[in-house]
Amino acid sequence: MSHAEDRGETRVDALVSDLLDGKHRALARAITKIENRSPGYRELVSRLHAHTGGADVIGITGSPGAGKSTLVDKLAKAYREEGLTVGVIAVDPSSPYTGGAVLGDRIRMASNVGDMDVFFRSMSARGQLGGLSTATSDAVKALDAFGKDKVIVETVGAGQNEVDVVRTADTVTVLVQPGSGDDVQMLKAGILEIGDVFVVNKADMDGVNRTVAELEEMIHLRDNPGATLDSGHHGVDSGLPEGVSGHEGAQESAHDGHERENGHDGAAEAKPEENDDAPDWEPAVVETVATSGDGVGELVETLAAHADYLAESGMRERKARTRYAEEIRQLLRNDANALLKEELDRHGGAEALAEAVAARETDPYAVADEVFEPLRECVEARRGEE
Amino acid sequence: MSADAERGHQQRTVRCLIAKVGLDGHDRGAHVIARAFRDAGFEVVYSGLHRAPEEIVQAAVQEDVDVLGISILSGAHNTLVPKIIDGLKEYDAFEDTLILVGGIVPDEDRPKLKEMGVSEVFGPGTPMKETIEFVRENAPRRD
Protein backbone atom coordinates (compact mmCIF):
# COMPACT_ATOMS: atom_id res chain seq x y z
CA MET A 1 0.00 0.00 0.00
CA SER A 2 2.60 2.52 1.08
CA HIS A 3 4.83 1.55 -1.78
CA ALA A 4 2.06 2.07 -4.28
CA GLU A 5 1.20 5.33 -2.60
CA ASP A 6 4.77 6.55 -2.91
CA ARG A 7 4.79 5.85 -6.58
CA GLY A 8 1.40 7.53 -6.87
CA GLU A 9 2.73 10.64 -5.23
CA THR A 10 5.78 10.90 -7.44
CA ARG A 11 3.49 10.62 -10.41
CA VAL A 12 1.28 13.33 -8.96
CA ASP A 13 4.37 15.49 -8.46
CA ALA A 14 5.33 15.13 -12.08
CA LEU A 15 1.78 15.71 -13.26
CA VAL A 16 1.38 18.87 -11.18
CA SER A 17 4.66 20.38 -12.32
CA ASP A 18 3.99 19.52 -15.97
CA LEU A 19 0.52 21.01 -15.73
CA LEU A 20 1.82 24.20 -14.14
CA ASP A 21 4.46 24.32 -16.88
CA GLY A 22 1.67 24.53 -19.41
CA LYS A 23 1.84 21.04 -20.89
CA HIS A 24 -1.46 20.19 -22.53
CA ARG A 25 -1.00 16.48 -22.14
CA ALA A 26 -0.57 16.88 -18.39
CA LEU A 27 -3.74 18.96 -18.18
CA ALA A 28 -5.64 16.35 -20.17
CA ARG A 29 -4.26 13.57 -18.00
CA ALA A 30 -5.06 15.44 -14.80
CA ILE A 31 -8.68 15.85 -15.84
CA THR A 32 -8.89 12.14 -16.66
CA LYS A 33 -7.52 11.31 -13.23
CA ILE A 34 -10.11 13.58 -11.68
CA GLU A 35 -12.92 12.11 -13.78
CA ASN A 36 -11.94 8.53 -13.03
CA ARG A 37 -11.30 9.20 -9.38
CA SER A 38 -7.99 7.43 -9.96
CA PRO A 39 -5.62 6.85 -7.06
CA GLY A 40 -3.88 10.08 -6.21
CA TYR A 41 -6.57 12.40 -7.57
CA ARG A 42 -7.21 13.93 -4.18
CA GLU A 43 -3.57 14.74 -3.70
CA LEU A 44 -3.61 16.18 -7.19
CA VAL A 45 -6.57 18.48 -6.59
CA SER A 46 -5.16 19.53 -3.21
CA ARG A 47 -1.91 20.52 -4.85
CA LEU A 48 -3.64 22.44 -7.62
CA HIS A 49 -5.87 24.41 -5.28
CA ALA A 50 -3.18 26.89 -4.31
CA HIS A 51 -2.82 27.86 -7.96
CA THR A 52 -6.50 28.53 -8.57
CA GLY A 53 -8.67 31.58 -8.25
CA GLY A 54 -7.48 33.40 -11.34
CA ALA A 55 -10.12 32.28 -13.79
CA ASP A 56 -13.60 33.64 -14.39
CA VAL A 57 -15.89 30.64 -14.39
CA ILE A 58 -18.93 30.96 -16.62
CA GLY A 59 -21.67 28.35 -16.56
CA ILE A 60 -23.89 27.92 -19.59
CA THR A 61 -27.01 25.85 -19.53
CA GLY A 62 -30.27 25.49 -21.43
CA SER A 63 -32.40 22.83 -23.04
CA PRO A 64 -31.00 20.55 -25.77
CA GLY A 65 -30.90 22.27 -29.12
CA ALA A 66 -30.91 25.80 -27.69
CA GLY A 67 -27.54 26.41 -29.31
CA LYS A 68 -25.23 26.25 -26.31
CA SER A 69 -22.23 24.69 -28.03
CA THR A 70 -22.34 27.06 -30.96
CA LEU A 71 -22.55 30.01 -28.59
CA VAL A 72 -19.68 28.65 -26.48
CA ASP A 73 -17.62 28.37 -29.64
CA LYS A 74 -18.30 32.01 -30.53
CA LEU A 75 -17.68 33.16 -26.96
CA ALA A 76 -14.35 31.36 -26.91
CA LYS A 77 -13.45 33.01 -30.18
CA ALA A 78 -14.35 36.45 -28.83
CA TYR A 79 -12.18 35.89 -25.75
CA ARG A 80 -9.30 34.65 -27.89
CA GLU A 81 -9.52 37.83 -29.92
CA GLU A 82 -9.05 39.76 -26.68
CA GLY A 83 -5.90 37.71 -26.13
CA LEU A 84 -7.40 35.62 -23.33
CA THR A 85 -7.04 31.86 -22.99
CA VAL A 86 -10.08 29.68 -22.61
CA GLY A 87 -10.97 26.33 -21.10
CA VAL A 88 -14.26 24.63 -21.85
CA ILE A 89 -15.86 21.70 -20.09
CA ALA A 90 -18.92 20.34 -21.84
CA VAL A 91 -21.06 17.92 -19.86
CA ASP A 92 -23.29 15.51 -21.74
CA PRO A 93 -25.60 12.88 -20.34
CA SER A 94 -24.57 9.24 -20.24
CA SER A 95 -26.78 6.25 -20.90
CA PRO A 96 -28.58 5.01 -17.80
CA TYR A 97 -28.37 1.48 -19.23
CA THR A 98 -24.81 1.06 -20.44
CA GLY A 99 -23.05 4.08 -18.98
CA GLY A 100 -21.91 4.87 -22.50
CA ALA A 101 -22.17 8.32 -24.03
CA VAL A 102 -21.74 10.17 -27.26
CA LEU A 103 -20.11 13.48 -26.47
CA GLY A 104 -21.08 15.59 -29.41
CA ASP A 105 -20.32 19.18 -28.47
CA ARG A 106 -16.79 19.30 -29.70
CA ILE A 107 -18.08 19.11 -33.24
CA ARG A 108 -19.37 22.67 -32.98
CA MET A 109 -16.07 24.21 -31.91
CA ALA A 110 -15.26 25.12 -35.49
CA SER A 111 -14.07 28.68 -34.84
CA ASN A 112 -11.24 27.52 -32.63
CA VAL A 113 -9.88 24.68 -34.67
CA GLY A 114 -6.20 24.03 -34.19
CA ASP A 115 -6.02 26.66 -31.43
CA MET A 116 -4.57 24.81 -28.46
CA ASP A 117 -5.24 27.83 -26.25
CA VAL A 118 -8.85 26.82 -26.32
CA PHE A 119 -8.79 23.65 -24.26
CA PHE A 120 -12.06 21.85 -24.84
CA ARG A 121 -12.92 18.82 -22.79
CA SER A 122 -16.03 16.66 -22.96
CA MET A 123 -17.29 15.04 -19.79
CA SER A 124 -20.07 12.57 -19.31
CA ALA A 125 -22.41 12.45 -16.35
CA ARG A 126 -21.44 8.81 -15.67
CA GLY A 127 -24.54 8.46 -13.54
CA GLN A 128 -22.74 9.92 -10.55
CA LEU A 129 -25.23 11.06 -7.99
CA GLY A 130 -23.97 14.34 -6.69
CA GLY A 131 -20.47 13.39 -7.81
CA LEU A 132 -20.74 15.12 -11.13
CA SER A 133 -20.57 18.58 -9.65
CA THR A 134 -17.53 17.60 -7.57
CA ALA A 135 -15.75 16.12 -10.57
CA THR A 136 -16.63 19.12 -12.71
CA SER A 137 -15.49 21.69 -10.19
CA ASP A 138 -12.25 19.72 -9.72
CA ALA A 139 -11.74 19.77 -13.48
CA VAL A 140 -12.40 23.52 -13.47
CA LYS A 141 -9.65 23.83 -10.87
CA ALA A 142 -7.23 22.03 -13.18
CA LEU A 143 -8.01 24.49 -15.99
CA ASP A 144 -7.79 27.42 -13.58
CA ALA A 145 -4.41 26.28 -12.23
CA PHE A 146 -3.20 25.72 -15.79
CA GLY A 147 -3.72 29.46 -16.22
CA LYS A 148 -6.88 29.75 -18.28
CA ASP A 149 -8.40 33.23 -18.05
CA LYS A 150 -11.95 32.12 -18.77
CA VAL A 151 -13.40 28.73 -17.99
CA ILE A 152 -16.75 27.89 -19.51
CA VAL A 153 -18.80 25.01 -18.15
CA GLU A 154 -21.51 23.92 -20.53
CA THR A 155 -24.25 21.55 -19.49
CA VAL A 156 -27.61 20.37 -20.69
CA GLY A 157 -30.21 21.94 -18.46
CA ALA A 158 -32.09 18.70 -18.10
CA GLY A 159 -31.88 17.79 -14.46
CA GLN A 160 -31.09 18.80 -10.94
CA ASN A 161 -27.67 17.21 -11.25
CA GLU A 162 -26.76 19.66 -13.96
CA VAL A 163 -28.26 22.60 -12.16
CA ASP A 164 -25.76 21.78 -9.42
CA VAL A 165 -22.94 21.68 -11.93
CA VAL A 166 -23.67 24.99 -13.51
CA ARG A 167 -24.07 26.55 -10.11
CA THR A 168 -20.39 25.93 -9.44
CA ALA A 169 -19.74 28.86 -11.81
CA ASP A 170 -19.28 32.53 -10.88
CA THR A 171 -21.76 33.60 -13.53
CA VAL A 172 -24.67 31.43 -14.61
CA THR A 173 -25.93 31.95 -18.13
CA VAL A 174 -29.20 30.36 -19.20
CA LEU A 175 -30.02 29.92 -22.86
CA VAL A 176 -33.61 30.02 -23.96
CA GLN A 177 -34.86 29.66 -27.46
CA PRO A 178 -37.89 31.52 -28.74
CA GLY A 179 -41.19 29.74 -28.41
CA SER A 180 -39.92 27.25 -25.87
CA GLY A 181 -43.21 26.82 -24.12
CA ASP A 182 -45.85 29.10 -22.66
CA ASP A 183 -45.49 31.50 -19.80
CA VAL A 184 -46.08 28.76 -17.25
CA GLN A 185 -42.63 27.45 -18.13
CA MET A 186 -41.28 30.70 -16.77
CA LEU A 187 -42.95 30.05 -13.44
CA LYS A 188 -41.38 26.66 -12.95
CA ALA A 189 -38.59 26.16 -10.50
CA GLY A 190 -35.14 25.19 -11.68
CA ILE A 191 -32.63 26.66 -14.04
CA LEU A 192 -34.59 29.81 -14.71
CA GLU A 193 -34.20 30.73 -11.07
CA ILE A 194 -30.43 30.55 -11.05
CA GLY A 195 -29.59 32.62 -14.12
CA ASP A 196 -27.47 35.78 -13.80
CA VAL A 197 -27.65 36.32 -17.52
CA PHE A 198 -30.36 35.10 -19.90
CA VAL A 199 -29.66 34.62 -23.55
CA VAL A 200 -32.47 34.34 -26.05
CA ASN A 201 -30.61 32.54 -28.78
CA LYS A 202 -31.85 32.02 -32.33
CA ALA A 203 -33.10 35.59 -32.13
CA ASP A 204 -33.81 35.46 -35.84
CA MET A 205 -36.75 33.17 -35.20
CA ASP A 206 -40.37 34.13 -34.67
CA GLY A 207 -41.56 34.79 -31.17
CA VAL A 208 -38.37 36.45 -29.91
CA ASN A 209 -40.10 39.52 -28.55
CA ARG A 210 -42.58 37.47 -26.61
CA THR A 211 -39.88 35.26 -25.11
CA VAL A 212 -37.79 38.29 -24.13
CA ALA A 213 -40.85 39.97 -22.60
CA GLU A 214 -41.73 36.85 -20.63
CA LEU A 215 -38.20 36.51 -19.34
CA GLU A 216 -38.12 40.14 -18.30
CA GLU A 217 -41.42 39.80 -16.52
CA MET A 218 -40.13 36.74 -14.72
CA ILE A 219 -36.95 38.53 -13.67
CA HIS A 220 -38.98 41.47 -12.45
CA LEU A 221 -41.32 39.27 -10.46
CA ARG A 222 -38.55 37.28 -8.91
CA ASP A 223 -37.13 40.54 -7.63
CA ASN A 224 -36.91 39.18 -4.16
CA PRO A 225 -37.67 35.50 -3.79
CA GLY A 226 -34.94 35.13 -1.23
CA ALA A 227 -36.53 37.65 1.12
CA THR A 228 -38.68 34.96 2.64
CA LEU A 229 -35.60 32.84 3.09
CA ASP A 230 -32.89 34.74 4.85
CA SER A 231 -30.62 36.80 2.74
CA GLY A 232 -32.23 40.09 1.95
CA HIS A 233 -31.71 41.69 -1.41
CA HIS A 234 -29.28 39.14 -2.56
CA GLY A 235 -31.76 36.36 -2.38
CA VAL A 236 -31.41 35.59 -6.04
CA ASP A 237 -27.70 35.07 -5.88
CA SER A 238 -26.94 34.12 -2.35
CA GLY A 239 -30.14 32.68 -0.98
CA LEU A 240 -30.08 29.69 -3.26
CA PRO A 241 -26.52 28.48 -2.93
CA GLU A 242 -26.47 29.12 0.78
CA GLY A 243 -29.89 28.13 1.93
CA VAL A 244 -30.50 25.22 -0.38
CA SER A 245 -27.00 24.07 -1.05
CA GLY A 246 -27.42 21.06 -3.26
CA HIS A 247 -30.47 18.87 -3.45
CA GLU A 248 -28.57 15.97 -2.00
CA GLY A 249 -27.35 17.99 0.90
CA ALA A 250 -30.70 19.56 1.46
CA GLN A 251 -32.27 16.16 1.72
CA GLU A 252 -29.68 14.65 3.93
CA SER A 253 -29.13 17.50 6.26
CA ALA A 254 -32.37 19.42 6.23
CA HIS A 255 -32.82 18.56 9.84
CA ASP A 256 -29.30 18.83 11.10
CA GLY A 257 -29.51 22.55 11.23
CA HIS A 258 -25.90 22.93 10.30
CA GLU A 259 -26.39 24.03 6.77
CA ARG A 260 -29.15 26.42 7.66
CA GLU A 261 -27.09 27.92 10.37
CA ASN A 262 -24.21 28.60 8.05
CA GLY A 263 -26.51 30.17 5.55
CA HIS A 264 -27.87 32.42 8.22
CA ASP A 265 -24.53 33.45 9.57
CA GLY A 266 -23.13 34.30 6.18
CA ALA A 267 -26.18 36.31 5.27
CA ALA A 268 -26.43 38.07 8.59
CA GLU A 269 -22.81 39.15 8.52
CA ALA A 270 -22.98 40.61 5.10
CA LYS A 271 -26.48 41.94 5.31
CA PRO A 272 -26.17 45.46 6.69
CA GLU A 273 -23.50 46.73 4.32
CA GLU A 274 -24.95 44.84 1.39
CA ASN A 275 -28.30 46.44 1.88
CA ASP A 276 -26.89 49.93 2.06
CA ASP A 277 -24.11 50.04 -0.47
CA ALA A 278 -23.85 47.22 -2.91
CA PRO A 279 -26.20 47.42 -5.83
CA ASP A 280 -28.27 44.38 -6.74
CA TRP A 281 -27.61 42.47 -9.88
CA GLU A 282 -30.61 42.60 -12.09
CA PRO A 283 -30.31 39.62 -14.46
CA ALA A 284 -29.80 40.78 -18.01
CA VAL A 285 -31.50 39.47 -21.13
CA VAL A 286 -29.35 39.33 -24.25
CA GLU A 287 -30.45 38.33 -27.74
CA THR A 288 -28.04 36.34 -29.88
CA VAL A 289 -27.86 34.41 -33.11
CA ALA A 290 -25.03 32.06 -32.26
CA THR A 291 -24.63 30.69 -35.76
CA SER A 292 -23.84 34.13 -37.19
CA GLY A 293 -22.26 35.55 -34.04
CA ASP A 294 -24.83 38.35 -33.73
CA GLY A 295 -25.14 39.59 -30.17
CA VAL A 296 -22.04 37.75 -28.96
CA GLY A 297 -20.27 41.07 -28.38
CA GLU A 298 -23.11 42.23 -26.19
CA LEU A 299 -23.05 38.95 -24.29
CA VAL A 300 -19.31 39.33 -23.65
CA GLU A 301 -19.99 42.81 -22.26
CA THR A 302 -22.82 41.56 -20.07
CA LEU A 303 -20.66 38.76 -18.69
CA ALA A 304 -17.91 41.28 -17.97
CA ALA A 305 -20.43 43.53 -16.22
CA HIS A 306 -21.48 40.63 -14.02
CA ALA A 307 -17.86 39.82 -13.24
CA ASP A 308 -17.35 43.47 -12.23
CA TYR A 309 -20.46 43.36 -10.11
CA LEU A 310 -19.21 40.21 -8.36
CA ALA A 311 -15.87 41.85 -7.65
CA GLU A 312 -17.25 45.18 -6.43
CA SER A 313 -20.05 43.81 -4.28
CA GLY A 314 -17.83 41.22 -2.65
CA MET A 315 -20.17 38.56 -3.94
CA ARG A 316 -17.34 36.79 -5.71
CA GLU A 317 -15.67 35.93 -2.43
CA ARG A 318 -18.94 35.10 -0.76
CA LYS A 319 -19.92 32.80 -3.58
CA ALA A 320 -16.52 31.13 -3.50
CA ARG A 321 -16.80 30.52 0.22
CA THR A 322 -20.29 29.09 -0.21
CA ARG A 323 -18.92 26.77 -2.87
CA TYR A 324 -16.00 25.64 -0.74
CA ALA A 325 -18.32 24.96 2.17
CA GLU A 326 -20.52 22.86 -0.10
CA GLU A 327 -17.46 21.10 -1.47
CA ILE A 328 -16.33 20.18 2.02
CA ARG A 329 -19.77 18.84 2.87
CA GLN A 330 -19.91 16.88 -0.38
CA LEU A 331 -16.49 15.33 0.18
CA LEU A 332 -17.41 14.37 3.72
CA ARG A 333 -20.66 12.82 2.50
CA ASN A 334 -18.76 10.83 -0.12
CA ASP A 335 -16.20 9.61 2.40
CA ALA A 336 -18.86 8.72 4.92
CA ASN A 337 -20.80 6.91 2.20
CA ALA A 338 -17.76 4.88 1.19
CA LEU A 339 -17.10 3.93 4.79
CA LEU A 340 -20.73 3.00 5.31
CA LYS A 341 -20.73 0.93 2.15
CA GLU A 342 -17.80 -1.11 3.45
CA GLU A 343 -19.55 -1.53 6.76
CA LEU A 344 -22.74 -2.56 4.97
CA ASP A 345 -20.85 -5.14 2.92
CA ARG A 346 -19.36 -6.51 6.10
CA HIS A 347 -22.91 -7.13 7.30
CA GLY A 348 -23.65 -9.11 4.17
CA GLY A 349 -24.62 -6.31 1.79
CA ALA A 350 -27.82 -4.38 1.21
CA GLU A 351 -29.49 -7.11 -0.86
CA ALA A 352 -29.17 -9.78 1.79
CA LEU A 353 -30.36 -7.39 4.48
CA ALA A 354 -33.26 -6.32 2.28
CA GLU A 355 -34.28 -9.95 2.03
CA ALA A 356 -34.36 -10.22 5.79
CA VAL A 357 -36.45 -7.07 5.92
CA ALA A 358 -38.85 -8.43 3.30
CA ALA A 359 -39.18 -11.64 5.35
CA ARG A 360 -40.15 -9.43 8.31
CA GLU A 361 -37.19 -10.75 10.27
CA THR A 362 -35.98 -7.23 10.84
CA ASP A 363 -36.74 -3.73 9.61
CA PRO A 364 -34.79 -0.99 7.84
CA TYR A 365 -34.37 1.14 10.94
CA ALA A 366 -33.02 -1.75 12.98
CA VAL A 367 -30.58 -2.63 10.21
CA ALA A 368 -29.39 0.96 9.89
CA ASP A 369 -28.87 1.19 13.63
CA GLU A 370 -26.92 -2.03 13.70
CA VAL A 371 -24.64 -1.02 10.85
CA PHE A 372 -24.13 2.49 12.07
CA GLU A 373 -23.68 1.85 15.77
CA PRO A 374 -19.95 0.97 15.71
CA LEU A 375 -19.20 4.12 13.74
CA ARG A 376 -21.10 6.27 16.18
CA GLU A 377 -19.34 4.61 19.11
CA CYS A 378 -15.95 5.14 17.52
CA VAL A 379 -16.53 8.79 16.85
CA GLU A 380 -17.97 9.42 20.28
CA ALA A 381 -15.03 7.65 21.93
CA ARG A 382 -12.58 9.78 19.95
CA ARG A 383 -14.45 12.90 20.86
CA GLY A 384 -14.24 11.93 24.53
CA GLU A 385 -10.47 11.67 24.28
CA GLU A 386 -10.05 15.16 23.00
CA MET B 1 -12.69 -5.08 -14.02
CA SER B 2 -11.59 -6.88 -10.88
CA ALA B 3 -8.16 -5.33 -11.22
CA ASP B 4 -9.81 -1.94 -11.29
CA ALA B 5 -11.95 -2.78 -8.32
CA GLU B 6 -8.83 -3.67 -6.37
CA ARG B 7 -7.42 -0.27 -7.07
CA GLY B 8 -10.13 1.28 -4.98
CA HIS B 9 -13.38 2.86 -6.04
CA GLN B 10 -11.95 3.80 -9.37
CA GLN B 11 -14.36 3.87 -12.25
CA ARG B 12 -12.73 3.20 -15.53
CA THR B 13 -14.51 4.11 -18.70
CA VAL B 14 -13.05 3.56 -22.13
CA ARG B 15 -12.89 6.86 -23.98
CA CYS B 16 -12.80 6.88 -27.77
CA LEU B 17 -12.50 9.51 -30.43
CA ILE B 18 -14.18 8.61 -33.69
CA ALA B 19 -12.55 10.79 -36.29
CA LYS B 20 -13.47 11.60 -39.84
CA VAL B 21 -10.48 13.11 -41.49
CA GLY B 22 -9.97 14.55 -44.94
CA LEU B 23 -12.37 15.12 -47.73
CA ASP B 24 -14.69 12.17 -47.80
CA GLY B 25 -18.22 13.09 -46.90
CA HIS B 26 -19.69 9.80 -45.75
CA ASP B 27 -20.06 9.43 -42.02
CA ARG B 28 -22.82 6.88 -41.76
CA GLY B 29 -20.31 4.25 -40.80
CA ALA B 30 -18.80 6.56 -38.19
CA HIS B 31 -22.25 7.18 -36.74
CA VAL B 32 -22.94 3.46 -36.56
CA ILE B 33 -19.64 2.86 -34.79
CA ALA B 34 -20.21 5.77 -32.41
CA ARG B 35 -23.56 4.37 -31.44
CA ALA B 36 -22.32 0.80 -31.10
CA PHE B 37 -19.47 2.01 -28.89
CA ARG B 38 -21.89 4.01 -26.79
CA ASP B 39 -24.06 0.93 -26.36
CA ALA B 40 -20.96 -1.00 -25.35
CA GLY B 41 -20.59 1.47 -22.50
CA PHE B 42 -17.77 3.53 -23.99
CA GLU B 43 -17.61 7.30 -24.00
CA VAL B 44 -17.42 8.44 -27.56
CA VAL B 45 -16.29 11.81 -28.79
CA TYR B 46 -17.27 12.28 -32.40
CA SER B 47 -15.24 14.68 -34.48
CA GLY B 48 -17.67 15.52 -37.25
CA LEU B 49 -16.85 15.56 -40.94
CA HIS B 50 -13.96 17.07 -42.89
CA ARG B 51 -11.42 17.37 -40.13
CA ALA B 52 -7.79 18.22 -40.65
CA PRO B 53 -5.18 15.95 -39.05
CA GLU B 54 -4.19 18.67 -36.56
CA GLU B 55 -7.80 18.98 -35.39
CA ILE B 56 -7.88 15.28 -34.72
CA VAL B 57 -4.63 15.54 -32.79
CA GLN B 58 -5.99 18.46 -30.76
CA ALA B 59 -9.12 16.52 -29.91
CA ALA B 60 -7.27 13.30 -29.04
CA VAL B 61 -4.84 15.15 -26.76
CA GLN B 62 -7.39 17.34 -24.98
CA GLU B 63 -9.97 14.60 -24.56
CA ASP B 64 -7.26 12.18 -23.41
CA VAL B 65 -8.88 9.30 -25.26
CA ASP B 66 -7.74 5.70 -24.87
CA VAL B 67 -8.75 4.85 -28.40
CA LEU B 68 -8.56 6.83 -31.61
CA GLY B 69 -10.64 5.38 -34.42
CA ILE B 70 -9.93 6.99 -37.76
CA SER B 71 -12.48 6.41 -40.48
CA ILE B 72 -11.29 6.95 -44.02
CA LEU B 73 -13.08 5.91 -47.17
CA SER B 74 -11.36 8.21 -49.62
CA GLY B 75 -8.08 6.35 -49.97
CA ALA B 76 -6.07 9.16 -48.43
CA HIS B 77 -4.96 7.08 -45.43
CA ASN B 78 -1.33 6.98 -46.52
CA THR B 79 -1.01 10.75 -46.28
CA LEU B 80 -3.42 11.52 -43.42
CA VAL B 81 -2.63 8.80 -40.88
CA PRO B 82 1.12 9.60 -40.68
CA LYS B 83 0.29 13.26 -40.03
CA ILE B 84 -1.98 12.32 -37.16
CA ILE B 85 0.60 9.96 -35.69
CA ASP B 86 3.32 12.61 -35.89
CA GLY B 87 1.02 15.06 -34.13
CA LEU B 88 0.28 12.60 -31.34
CA LYS B 89 4.01 12.05 -30.87
CA GLU B 90 4.55 15.77 -30.63
CA TYR B 91 2.21 15.91 -27.61
CA ASP B 92 3.47 12.66 -26.03
CA ALA B 93 0.12 11.08 -26.75
CA PHE B 94 1.22 8.39 -29.18
CA GLU B 95 2.50 5.77 -26.77
CA ASP B 96 -0.69 5.24 -24.85
CA THR B 97 -3.34 5.72 -27.50
CA LEU B 98 -4.75 2.70 -29.30
CA ILE B 99 -5.00 3.70 -32.94
CA LEU B 100 -7.50 1.96 -35.21
CA VAL B 101 -8.29 2.63 -38.83
CA GLY B 102 -11.66 1.81 -40.31
CA GLY B 103 -12.86 2.11 -43.86
CA ILE B 104 -11.53 1.14 -47.23
CA VAL B 105 -7.85 0.26 -47.02
CA PRO B 106 -6.26 -2.00 -49.65
CA ASP B 107 -4.50 -5.06 -48.25
CA GLU B 108 -1.11 -3.94 -49.50
CA ASP B 109 -1.32 -0.71 -47.47
CA ARG B 110 -2.04 -2.42 -44.17
CA PRO B 111 1.47 -3.53 -43.18
CA LYS B 112 2.74 0.02 -43.63
CA LEU B 113 0.00 1.47 -41.43
CA LYS B 114 0.73 -1.09 -38.75
CA GLU B 115 4.41 -0.34 -38.91
CA MET B 116 3.55 3.30 -38.29
CA GLY B 117 1.70 2.41 -35.11
CA VAL B 118 -1.85 1.58 -36.17
CA SER B 119 -2.96 -1.41 -34.10
CA GLU B 120 -5.60 -2.76 -36.41
CA VAL B 121 -7.41 -2.00 -39.63
CA PHE B 122 -11.09 -2.83 -39.86
CA GLY B 123 -12.49 -3.11 -43.33
CA PRO B 124 -16.12 -2.91 -44.40
CA GLY B 125 -18.24 -5.76 -43.10
CA THR B 126 -16.23 -6.28 -39.91
CA PRO B 127 -18.71 -7.44 -37.29
CA MET B 128 -19.20 -4.73 -34.69
CA LYS B 129 -18.69 -7.25 -31.93
CA GLU B 130 -15.19 -7.95 -33.18
CA THR B 131 -14.23 -4.29 -33.11
CA ILE B 132 -15.66 -3.81 -29.63
CA GLU B 133 -13.87 -6.91 -28.35
CA PHE B 134 -10.64 -5.65 -29.84
CA VAL B 135 -11.02 -2.33 -28.06
CA ARG B 136 -11.85 -4.00 -24.75
CA GLU B 137 -8.80 -6.23 -24.98
CA ASN B 138 -6.34 -3.68 -26.27
CA ALA B 139 -7.32 -0.33 -24.82
CA PRO B 140 -4.23 0.83 -22.94
CA ARG B 141 -4.32 0.33 -19.20
CA ARG B 142 -3.34 3.51 -17.49
CA ASP B 143 -3.53 4.98 -14.07
Side-chain angles (χ1 to χ4, degrees), chain A residues 86-283:
Chain A
V86 183
V88 180
I89 291 172
V91 181
D92 265 325
S94 55
S95 159
Y97 304 112
T98 66
V102 170
L103 309 168
D105 290 333
R106 193 173 189 103
I107 208 171
R108 283 173 262 275
M109 292 303 288
S111 308
N112 298 284
V113 155
D115 178 3
M116 269 297 204
D117 283 326
V118 176
F119 191 101
F120 185 103
R121 180 63 178 248
S122 316
M123 243 170 142
S124 106
R126 293 196 182 175
Q128 299 165 355
L129 238 186
L132 180 62
S133 55
T134 319
T136 316
S137 73
D138 287 349
V140 167
K141 281 181 192 168
L143 288 164
D144 191 347
F146 186 81
K148 294 297 181 193
D149 301 307
K150 303 280 176 182
V151 176
I152 304 173
V153 180
E154 179 200 331
T155 154
V156 175
Q160 189 66 43
N161 209 344
E162 276 138 337
V163 170
D164 291 344
V165 171
V166 83
R167 216 160 54 188
T168 62
D170 300 314
T171 302
V172 174
T173 309
V174 179
L175 245 72
V176 181
Q177 55 177 333
S180 47
D182 58 19
D183 45 4
V184 177
Q185 295 299 339
M186 302 282 175
L187 300 176
K188 290 187 179 172
I191 58 168
L192 288 178
E193 282 179 294
I194 64 169
D196 301 305
V197 176
F198 289 92
V199 176
V200 180
N201 191 35
K202 307 192 182 181
D204 49 348
M205 281 169 65
D206 288 344
V208 176
N209 293 342
R210 204 183 123 213
T211 305
V212 171
E214 278 167 5
L215 275 172
E216 271 166 355
E217 188 187 297
M218 177 204 73
I219 290 164
H220 193 64
L221 283 174
R222 90 181 190 181
D223 215 12
N224 214 345
T228 50
L229 284 175
D230 51 22
S231 50
H233 278 91
H234 283 281
V236 171
D237 285 315
S238 61
L240 276 171
E242 286 181 10
V244 197
S245 41
H247 63 300
E248 244 204 342
Q251 258 170 13
E252 276 169 37
S253 51
H255 54 274
D256 74 7
H258 205 71
E259 214 152 26
R260 281 274 118 183
E261 223 173 82
N262 281 354
H264 263 302
D265 286 346
E269 257 172 56
K271 213 172 181 176
E273 47 179 302
E274 297 280 328
N275 275 349
D276 297 337
D277 309 327
D280 280 340
W281 173 259
E282 168 112 342

